[in-house]
Amino acid sequence: MSGLPALRLGHLYPAEMNIYADRGNIAVLRQRLAWRGLALEVTDLEVGDPVEPGAHDLYYLGGGQDRDQQVVAEDLVATKAEGLRAAVDAGAAALCVCGGFQLAGHGYTGTDGHRMPGVGILDLDTVAGPTRLIGNLVIDAEIAGETVRVVGFENHAGRTRLGPGARPLGRVVSGHGNNGDDGFEGGVRDRVIGTYLHGPLLPKNPRLADILIAWALEHRTGEPPVLAPLDDALEVAAHDAAVARALASNGRRPARR
Ligand code: GLN
């Protein structure tokens, strides 16, 4: 091992919010750290568990059906919101995917009209629309000073609108994105990323995985890390194949709805 301390991941609601192979994202983080001689320590943060600011370098909140989100939304606000807000204000990283992206915002009004509160670590709000936005999704993300093409799958009824405190993760190249009409996908502030992209997201988007790892290590050690490059031939081939398939199935322009 490298001598650096383990990166500490707080996995929010692994039992309820795991609908799109969310554990695959965590496996990627663990493996990319292991290849560099670094360890990942995962703490499951379940219903009732508090979030202690400073205890984790990275938080993960995955996707869920409306009914899963209802189970966790009240708990999120009651036991975790304050700690999470303090943690990300102090530079902890977070990746919030799909249902988790919605609950990272101010709230989500589901398909039955039920309003679920969000944790408010991203300035955005979500209301379910009459149809589901489903399909392959390609975006050009502007993140950590780079433009990174990111690909995945989306399946959501929610239409998400960003407030002035969040900027989009990227622009839709092909697919629906946050709401199907403004051309934005995801939301970012500080080291917090929310996105509708899943599938899971990180196996075929290794650059995004390394950006999150670098942010979390910087939180852990106080220094920007130098990450040893990895042989990403397989990951890049998977990425390129997924992008090609998405562009072929959707067309290059954002999908019509
Ligand atoms: N239930 C939410 C929606 O339909 C999120 C779906 C998801 O996480 N896949 O918008």
Side-chain angles (χ1 to χ4, degrees):
M1 287 282 154
S2 66
L4 283 181
L7 191 153
R8 302 160 304 169
L9 174 84
H11 188 177
L12 293 152
Y13 309 109
E16 292 85 5
M17 300 292 281
N18 59 11
I19 192 177
Y20 289 111
D22 289 287
R23 282 173 205 277
N25 287 324
I26 291 168
V28 167
L29 295 170
R30 185 187 296 287
Q31 190 57 50
R32 295 185 74 78
L33 284 162
W35 278 327
R36 295 170 166 126
L38 298 165
L40 182 71
E41 219 173 71
V42 180
T43 309
D44 289 348
L45 297 167
E46 312 274 8
V47 171
D49 295 339
V51 169
E52 306 290 351
H56 301 102
D57 308 303
L58 173 62
Y59 292 92
Y60 184 79
L61 179 57
Q65 312 268 19
D66 284 16
R67 63 175 173 277
D68 305 317
Q69 289 173 271
Q70 267 178 43
V71 171
V72 306
E74 303 289 340
D75 180 75
L76 193 57
V77 170
T79 70
K80 297 179 178 58
E82 213 175 302
L84 270 173
R85 285 197 287 260
V88 300
D89 284 349
L95 176 61
C96 306
V97 174
C98 203
F101 171 41
Q102 296 169 344
L103 292 184
H106 302 300
Y108 170 47
T109 305
T111 42
D112 63 358
H114 182 90
R115 175 74 179 173
M116 297 164 229
V119 66
I121 56 172
L122 285 172
D123 183 16
L124 53 90
D125 200 88
T126 306
V127 177
T131 56
R132 298 193 71 79
L133 305 178
I134 303 175
N136 294 310
L137 174 59
V138 181
I139 69 168
D140 280 336
E142 299 295 335
I143 190 83
E146 298 170 39
T147 304
V148 183
R149 183 151 284 195
V150 182
V151 61
F153 191 78
E154 63 181 324
N155 181 353
H156 50 106
R159 271 65 168 169
T160 298
R161 306 262 165 206
L162 303 178
R167 62 178 184 81
L169 172 61
R171 289 211 161 260
V172 173
V173 175
S174 180
H176 302 286
N178 283 351
N179 47 54
D181 58 48
D182 67 11
F184 293 143
E185 203 292 314
V188 178
R189 59 154 282 215
D190 299 316
R191 294 179 178 145
V192 180
I193 297 178
T195 179
Y196 275 116
L197 286 156
H198 50 65
L201 169 69
L202 297 180
K204 48 190 180 301
N205 295 291
R207 183 66 202 128
L208 198 58
D210 277 357
I211 288 168
L212 283 164
I213 286 173
W215 283 351
L217 282 173
E218 186 168 352
H219 178 265
R220 182 72 172 115
T221 66
E223 305 278 331
V226 178
L227 291 182
L230 300 175
D231 174 3
D232 282 333
L234 277 176
E235 289 81 352
V236 169
H239 173 273
D240 291 351
V243 170
R245 198 169 47 213
L247 295 181
S249 61
N250 291 346
R252 274 174 194 274
R253 302 197 58 75
R256 289 184 181 282
R257 47 244 122 206

